[in-house]
Amino acid sequence: MLRSLLFILPAALALLGVLVSTAGAEPEGAPEPWLTLKGGEGPGKGKHVVLISGDEEYRSEETLPQLARILSRRHGFDCTVLFAIDPKDGAISPNVNNNIPGLEKLKDADLVVMLIRWRNLPDEQMKPLIEYVESGRPIVGLRTSTHAFRLSSKTYGKYTWDSKEPGYEGGFGQQVLGTTWVNHHGHHAKEGTRGVIAPGQEGNPIVRGVEPGSIFGTTDVYGVPLPLPGDSRPVVLGEVTETLEPASKALAGEKNSPMMPVAWTKSYQTSSGKRARVFTTTMGASQDFAYEGTRRMIVNGIYWALGMEGQIPTRSNVEFVGEFKPTPFGTKKDEAWKPGIRPADLPR
């Protein structure tokens, strides 16, 4: 009996080691928990854009896949879209605020585009994201990315939305994008946003080909600090509208005097002294993205962030790739996301 046990024990220990080393790993052959789109021909050929979604309210899981399709099919960029994923079933679930697989893809990214809100990511996921932020590479932040993180860990605590750390007050939003969360300047879900080119910015390449009144969104104007910090340059101002219809009149009164910036450029000086180009817009919900002028402003802003403003055409091609039917913004209960859609289920 002892001899038999001595023979079996090494094999049992070896099997246990294999089971432990593979615990929590993706099953072999499991679909990737992100969306990968290979670019075609175009000015973006050879450049990699990583788009990070993860917000409970403004349907970033709809905006960013369509934006990636436009960038890859119409402009040639290789794109990777990351999502908030429920680890139980691998489905996209924005209410899961502590899991965005694939952030290691940022290692070879030329640009990050973010639409996230109050994420509480673990240190191992924050690490590649912050390494990117501090690398000096360009950043595009949409809508709620001004309050991207609500972190419980102290490791990257200074990046949290309400950071009080001296010299890094307001966290990632304030220091990198130009503002953290302030308030709803327009009446939420009642008053819309019409983009108006800021005085003196008519020749800015970010608004090249943008027709008057074509930047619109059913999401309201966010309040921002005036003036915006540092070298921030407002490009588009947000005219508060009476209703959520694009033909709506401008709201009379002090909400439009002055108008809040809704899109601006700035730089971010990293901890090592490098300077990154940053384009921020407080628009970008999937319903906003339904409007051609809004899409064109965002795509042009991506070109600008990459230092490719000289390649922005007279009228950027922002035609939808496939069907795009945005759903209304608003939070949902967990069960509303079930049975759920996996990234592998999304059209390419």
Side-chain angles (χ1 to χ4, degrees):
M1 175 68 74
L2 179 61
R3 184 176 296 175
S4 299
L5 287 172
L6 290 173
F7 176 77
I8 294 169
L9 185 59
L13 289 172
L15 176 60
L16 179 62
V18 170
L19 292 173
V20 169
S21 67
T22 57
E26 286 287 330
E28 190 173 347
E32 292 179 338
W34 49 77
L35 177 65
T36 303
L37 299 171
K38 186 69 177 173
E41 295 300 319
K45 189 175 180 64
K47 293 191 180 295
H48 181 204
V49 180
V50 173
L51 304 95
I52 309 174
S53 72
D55 85 288
E56 309 92 323
E57 189 169 9
Y58 294 106
R59 307 285 87 82
S60 59
E61 72 283 354
E62 296 176 355
T63 296
L64 295 191
Q66 179 58 233
L67 175 57
R69 292 182 199 108
I70 291 170
L71 291 175
S72 61
R73 188 79 64 86
R74 311 291 185 212
H75 301 272
F77 294 95
D78 293 332
C79 293
T80 304
V81 189
L82 309 182
F83 301 91
I85 297 292
D86 188 336
K88 297 186 188 74
D89 58 11
I92 298 167
S93 184
N95 288 4
V96 175
N97 75 346
N98 61 357
N99 186 42
I100 300 180
L103 286 163
E104 65 276 6
K105 301 289 184 183
L106 289 166
K107 186 174 182 179
D108 69 355
D110 296 290
L111 173 71
V112 64
V113 179
M114 306 168 64
L115 205 177
I116 58 179
R117 176 181 184 263
W118 280 331
R119 300 292 98 177
N120 185 22
L121 299 178
D123 289 352
E124 61 268 24
Q125 292 190 5
M126 284 296 294
K127 185 175 186 290
L129 204 165
I130 297 306
E131 286 176 349
Y132 180 95
V133 169
E134 296 298 334
S135 72
R137 285 173 284 173
I139 298 166
V140 172
L142 309 182
R143 191 63 176 170
T144 55
S145 294
T146 59
H147 41 297
F149 307 114
R150 181 187 272 166
L151 302 169
S152 55
S153 170
K154 304 295 186 197
T155 308
Y156 300 102
K158 77 174 189 178
Y159 296 95
T160 205
W161 78 281
D162 58 352
S163 171
K164 302 297 189 298
E165 181 165 325
Y168 219 85
E169 294 85 355
F172 171 83
Q174 184 67 36
Q175 299 297 323
V176 179
L177 299 185
T179 183
T180 186
W181 165 248
V182 177
N183 61 16
H184 288 283
H185 181 70
H187 194 307
H188 185 55
K190 299 289 185 183
E191 297 166 354
T193 301
R194 181 182 296 115
V196 176
I197 297 173
Q201 295 303 303
E202 295 81 4
N204 192 305
I206 291 173
V207 292
R208 186 174 297 156
V210 174
E211 297 177 358
S214 66
I215 298 174
F216 190 78
T218 58
T219 54
D220 58 287
V221 174
Y222 273 176
V224 302
L226 296 177
L228 289 166
D231 61 357
S232 300
R233 176 178 294 178
V235 178
V236 178
L237 306 178
E239 183 178 69
V240 178
T241 58
E242 291 181 343
T243 72
L244 304 182
E245 294 298 323
S248 172
K249 294 179 181 179
L251 188 72
E254 58 187 30
K255 280 191 179 181
N256 283 319
S257 183
M259 287 187 280
M260 294 286 142
V262 293
W264 59 89
T265 59
K266 68 182 293 290
S267 65
Y268 171 62
Q269 184 167 328
T270 70
S271 53
S272 64
K274 296 177 182 177
R275 283 200 173 272
R277 278 191 171 196
V278 178
F279 172 66
T280 305
T281 176
T282 53
M283 303 182 75
S286 63
Q287 287 179 294
D288 300 349
F289 205 65
Y291 294 93
E292 183 176 337
T294 308
R295 296 197 302 278
R296 184 162 290 115
M297 174 187 69
I298 291 171
V299 169
N300 289 354
I302 286 169
Y303 271 73
W304 176 89
L306 283 162
M308 297 172 61
E309 59 266 42
Q311 298 181 66
I312 298 174
T314 304
R315 190 177 176 83
S316 296
N317 186 348
V318 294
E319 183 181 348
F320 291 128
V321 176
E323 190 174 60
F324 184 66
K325 291 185 176 180
T327 56
F329 62 86
T331 56
K332 298 181 182 181
K333 294 182 179 180
D334 290 347
E335 54 267 27
W337 295 103
K338 302 303 176 187
I341 297 172
R342 295 184 177 194
D345 301 327
L346 296 173
R348 265 54 183 168

